[in-house]
Amino acid sequence: MTSPGEDVRAGQPLLKLLDCSGAVVTANVTEGVYNRLRLGEQAIFEPNDGSATIQGEIVNLTGASGAPANLAINPDALNKEPYRVTVSMPALNSTGKECAVGRTGRVVFNTDAAKP
């Protein structure tokens, strides 16, 4: 966050750290899918880069009137659906060799077909 030789002042941020031990995935979904989901249900993230799928849990549901979240990729650039689902993906970096933050992919929800 600074350049070599740059003067810094007290309290100025000098660096940011990224914790790659876990992350969240935010998916834009249709209203129909959104209405079938519940907090605590399981979901699977399938990365577009072909790496292994990652099991997660739904931790937040944001409907059309919800405030925009702090996301790495602006959802409006991907989809106009106003319904968002946040899935917690613990222990993404089990090998210690890579960081999964910033990946794109597909989220598959384990919804029971018998639910209304």
Side-chain angles (χ1 to χ4, degrees), residues 40-116:
E41 288 181 339
Q42 297 297 300
I44 297 171
F45 177 64
E46 299 174 344
N48 283 338
D49 65 5
S51 53
T53 60
I54 305 165
Q55 184 77 27
E57 177 182 324
I58 297 173
V59 295
N60 189 33
L61 296 166
T62 305
S65 64
N70 182 13
L71 305 174
I73 299 173
N74 183 354
D76 294 334
L78 303 174
N79 191 334
K80 296 297 182 190
E81 291 291 346
Y83 300 94
R84 295 184 183 90
V85 180
T86 304
V87 180
S88 175
M89 304 285 173
L92 285 178
N93 191 25
S94 58
T95 65
K97 295 183 180 179
E98 66 177 49
C99 188
V101 173
R103 282 201 225 169
T104 60
R106 178 178 152 202
V107 178
V108 179
F109 300 103
N110 186 15
T111 58
D112 182 4
K115 287 184 182 178

